[in-house]
Each structure stands twice: as C-alpha cells, then as structure tokens.
Amino acid sequence: MPGTSAARGELEEFLAVAISPELLELALTHRSYSYENGGTGHNERLEFLGDSILGQAVTVMLYRNNPNLDEGDLAKRRASLVSSVALAEVARTIDLGRHLRLGRGEELTGGRDKSSILADTVEAIIGAAYLDAGGDAATDLVLRLIAPLLQDPERFGAAMDPKTSLQELASRQGKGLPRYEVSDSGPDHSKRFHAIVSLGGENIAEGDGTSKKQAEMAAALEAWTTLSSATV
C-alpha cells in the first residue's frame, strides 16, 4: 500500500519543493496501477520530462565543476550519475518505494524495490518539480538528490565502466565470468532493452535501457553494487 499521509508529508519535506498533492500523486503512479484502475493517469510523461531536466542539470554541474575533464570523461560521469542504478539508490535512501502506486502484479513481484521503477519515479518527481516550481527549483532538487553519489568515489569509479568492474570483482571473489541475457520490447522507433546478468548460472541483477549496451551496463552496475555490499 502507498505511504500514509504522515509518511507522504515526510517525503514532501525531504523534497523541499512546492509540488501540488495531485501532481506528486501522479508522479508516484506506475502504469501498472493505471491499467488496473480504468486507465487513470500515470507517471510516464512526467518521467520523460524529468529525464531531460536531470540530464541538463547534471551536465551543467559537471561542466562547471570539472574544467580539466575532456568530453569523454564528462560523458562517462554523467552516465554514471543518471543511470537507473544511481537513481534507484537515491530512491532507496528516501524510502520512495513505500509511496508508489502499483498494480497488483508489480506489487507481488517486488515492484517497490525494482531499480527501473524507482529510477523512473525519481525522474517523474523531477518533472513534477519543474512544472510546479520551475526550472531553478527542479535543478536544485536534482543536485540535492545526487549529492551523496558524488561523495562515493569508489562507486563512482565502478559506474564509469561497470562491466569491467563487475568482471574484476567477480574474478576476485571466484565467481567466474558474468553472462548477459538481453531482451527487447516496444516498437522499432522506441525500443526498450532489458538485461539480466548471471554468475555461475545464478541471476543476480537486472537493468533497463534504450540500447542493449545501456541495459547491460545498468545490470552490471546493479550486480557490482550487490556483490560489493555482500563483502562489507
């Protein structure tokens, strides 16, 4: 069940952005809930908007704060900060999962902790902030949300090349080479890719993206994060 009104108040206080209750509710509504409730609104349009705001805010911040980095390094850092794994990590720190409006199918399959759903919801909230509070407030929200990621250089390094980092970590742990299985869905002009990474025949992480490479990288970073946490 979605969070109580008190819990929702805690979320609004953390976000510190003036988003109307109706728009915030929309941002928290997954398409699975919409499909099971007569086609009510869901957050995919807000997610589309928020993705653009997120990318611009992170790009400008990296450009200004790293005058000595070339285009390639800036692009890698941006990719690591806006990845579904990074955004899902942000979402978990604020317990965003308990506020989601999900359909029964997603509820039963652990949708409240799926990285792809959490990441998409973060983007939808950013989009909602832009609509109700304006560009400056939305940018400030983005920078507050990603600030903890910038303080973790080890993880940041792995995010720059997650497939290599995962392979090296798995080798050190004696788990063998990662294997990737990728599927796609949607029309040709707007395909989505889903990757599953396994070690020793066991599926350990999943990732989504708009290309096969992006999905594999998201899955690899999720797997790297899981394996690293297990050794702490």
Side-chain angles (χ1 to χ4, degrees):
M1 294 292 293
T4 64
S5 57
R8 184 63 54 80
E10 293 174 7
L11 175 62
E12 293 172 349
E13 183 178 354
F14 178 86
L15 295 174
V17 179
I19 304 174
S20 71
E22 295 78 13
L23 195 57
L24 181 58
E25 190 86 338
L26 182 62
L28 296 168
T29 302
H30 187 255
R31 64 177 178 272
S32 61
Y33 182 94
S34 172
Y35 294 162
E36 293 182 13
N37 289 271
T40 59
H42 56 77
N43 64 10
E44 288 188 352
R45 280 174 53 85
L46 287 174
E47 173 201 338
F48 171 78
L49 175 61
D51 176 67
S52 178
I53 305 304
L54 170 70
Q56 181 184 47
V58 170
T59 299
V60 172
M61 179 273 294
L62 288 172
Y63 181 88
R64 288 177 172 169
N65 293 352
N66 299 277
N68 296 321
L69 291 183
D70 63 22
E71 178 188 4
D73 285 336
L74 289 172
K76 289 178 181 178
R77 291 187 179 226
R78 177 178 59 194
S80 72
L81 291 171
V82 303
S83 72
S84 62
V85 174
L87 295 181
E89 183 177 326
V90 168
R92 291 184 181 107
T93 65
I94 61 176
D95 199 13
L96 187 59
R98 64 173 168 161
H99 300 285
L100 302 179
R101 302 174 83 199
L102 299 175
R104 284 170 294 181
E106 286 292 352
E107 193 76 69
L108 292 172
T109 56
R112 293 191 182 278
D113 195 49
K114 284 185 180 178
S115 291
S116 58
I117 292 178
L118 290 172
D120 289 348
T121 305
V122 170
E123 290 180 337
I125 290 173
I126 293 168
Y130 178 85
L131 291 178
D132 265 6
D136 289 344
T139 295
D140 288 345
L141 173 61
V142 169
L143 298 182
R144 289 200 306 275
L145 290 174
I146 68 168
L149 302 178
L150 295 169
Q151 306 307 313
D152 185 0
E154 182 177 355
R155 184 197 173 286
F156 194 65
M160 300 281 276
D161 189 355
K163 293 182 71 173
T164 299
S165 296
L166 173 61
Q167 183 173 322
E168 292 173 347
L169 179 58
S171 177
R172 289 198 299 271
Q173 295 183 358
K175 297 182 181 295
L177 291 175
R179 295 179 62 87
Y180 297 87
E181 181 180 340
V182 182
S183 58
D184 61 73
S185 60
D188 289 341
H189 68 276
S190 183
K191 279 192 178 297
R192 294 285 298 179
F193 293 82
H194 181 75
I196 300 173
V197 60
S198 61
L199 285 170
E202 179 184 358
N203 294 345
I204 59 172
E206 302 179 13
D208 296 284
T210 56
S211 68
K212 178 181 176 181
K213 179 180 178 181
Q214 189 180 81
E216 287 181 345
M217 289 177 65
L221 186 53
E222 177 97 351
W224 184 91
T225 302
T226 299
L227 292 184
S228 296
S229 299
T231 62
V232 174

